[in-house]
């Protein structure tokens, strides 16, 4: 059943330990999976290490404020994130571009995203997508995380095996704490193996300086427009589809407009994007967070709080995450997403008339296909909609 947003009243009883853990895991996965790409993109633009730290701090604060505000306002798990596909594109496209030109294309792309949100064009597109296709796209995105969770058994059988055993045993007797117990088991094994590489914490707050933008035609067309397309197609579209596939109904145009406006304001300080999260948001929407979907928004609220901490103490949080072995990160992410992945597959294949379109969407998305710099999630959506239109027309 759909869960409508904008319901009055915030209740502390909605907050639970499982929601806090889900929020922490979402932030953990977000930072450990793509923070290195942010470093690469900023370094490609010529940013200094101090500026890069400031950019990460600003992004953490932006995601914390937006996640807290939107989730509490709509009582829906609306988690925001930076555009990982966009950062990957920037890391490969920015060499040779000055830092001032980089800030200019940030402003340009975020202004285009804001225009899409204000005019409602993006919302109208998302409203015509069948739920089966949205669920199939989400399942295709999450498949890699499920495979990596069990693939970690090959390289780290003791660590990954202990975490899997702890998770499924807890699912039998303490289902709401399964992710927490799996994480605790993984930390204990990693500590016993000497795989935790902690160094001295860096807790200094770094305020990024304001950088004046410079607009050049070759940067705006050659990088700005592809960055806009990739961010909308590979980050915001899966993010909205994740909310819809989980049954949450929130005003799409408002979400896109608010996040784009925040990114636009922070662009001169290195806040290159604030988007609707997909993969990390799915961690906050599963049944392990809370049996009642209407109370799962607290997981995104908790994630917003952890994002604020990451922004205020970016250096220390980054070192904490980097100290964990990759096998632990892959396993906890995959286990945390198992319920969401299975639910997405059920929604994708439940309706027989939409099953062919859904499986096409799932396979294209899971394939990792990239065409014209646009990721597989977008092409999976396009392929599924085309098949659906072809087979549904009389």
């Amino acid at each position: 059943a759909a869960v409508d947003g904008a319901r009055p009243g915030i209740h502390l009883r909605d907050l639970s330990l499982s929601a806090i853990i889900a929020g922490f895991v979402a932030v953990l996965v977000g930072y450990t999976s793509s923070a290195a790409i942010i470093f690469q993109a900023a370094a490609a633009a010529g940013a200094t290490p101090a500026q890069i730290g400031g950019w990460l701090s600003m992004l953490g604060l932006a995601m914390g404020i937006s996640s807290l505000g939107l989730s509490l306002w709509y009582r829906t798990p609306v988690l925001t994130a930076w555009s990982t596909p966009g950062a990957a594109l920037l890391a490969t496209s920015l060499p040779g571009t000055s830092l001032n030109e980089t800030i200019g294309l940030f402003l340009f792309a975020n202004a285009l995203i804001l225009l899409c949100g204000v005019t409602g064009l993006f919302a109208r597109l998302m409203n015509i997508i069948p739920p089966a296709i949205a669920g199939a796209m989400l399942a295709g995105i999450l498949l890699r995380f499920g495979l990596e969770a069990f693939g970690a058994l090959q390289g780290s059988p003791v660590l990954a095996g202990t975490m899997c055993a702890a998770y499924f045993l807890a699912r039998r007797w303490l289902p709401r704490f399964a992710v927490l117990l799996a994480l605790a088991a993984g930390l204990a094994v990693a500590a016993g193996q000497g795989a935790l590489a902690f160094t001295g914490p860096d807790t200094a707050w770094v305020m990024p300086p304001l950088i004046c933008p410079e607009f050049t035609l070759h940067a705006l067309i050659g990088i700005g427009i592809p960055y806009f397309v990739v961010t909308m197609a590979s980050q915001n579209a899966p993010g909205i589809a994740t909310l819809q596939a989980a049954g949450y109904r929130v005003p799409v145009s408002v979400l896109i407009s608010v996040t784009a406006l925040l990114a636009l304001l922070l662009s001169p300080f290195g806040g290159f994007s604030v988007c609707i999260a997909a993969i990390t948001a799915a961690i906050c929407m599963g049944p392990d967070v809370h049996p009642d979907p209407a109370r799962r928004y607290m997981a995104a609220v908790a994630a917003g709080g952890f994002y604020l901490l990451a922004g205020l103490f970016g250096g220390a949080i980054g070192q904490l995450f980097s100290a964990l072995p990759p096998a632990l990160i892959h396993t906890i992410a995959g286990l945390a997403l198992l319920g969401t992945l299975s639910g997405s597959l059920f929604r994708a294949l439940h309706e027989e008339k939409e099953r062919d379109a859904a499986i096409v969407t799932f396979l294209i998305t899971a394939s990792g296909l990239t065409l014209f710099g646009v990721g597989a999630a977008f092409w999976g959506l396009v392929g599924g909609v085309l098949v659906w239109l072809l087979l549904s027309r009389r």
Side-chain angles (χ1 to χ4, degrees), residues 36 43 52 55 92 123 132-133 138 142-143 201 213 220 225 227 234 239 255 282 289 295 313 355 359 390:
I52 295 174
W55 287 18
T92 58
I133 293 179
L138 177 58
L142 300 181
L143 177 64
L220 297 183
I225 291 180
Y227 170 73
S234 299
L255 298 187
V289 175
R295 299 176 67 178
F313 306 103
R355 196 169 293 166
I359 199 64
L390 176 65

Side-chain angles (χ1 to χ4, degrees), residues 156-183:
S156 304
V158 177
L159 175 61
T162 302
M163 294 179 68
C164 289
Y167 176 82
F168 288 110
L169 287 173
R171 287 285 297 166
R172 176 65 178 84
W173 288 287
L174 297 168
R176 293 186 61 184
F177 304 102
V179 176
L180 170 62
L181 293 176
L183 179 60

Side-chain angles (χ1 to χ4, degrees), residues 23-48:
F24 175 76
V25 171
V27 175
L28 175 70
V29 171
Y31 267 80
T32 54
S33 63
S34 58
I37 301 176
I38 307 299
F39 274 103
Q40 295 173 11
T48 66

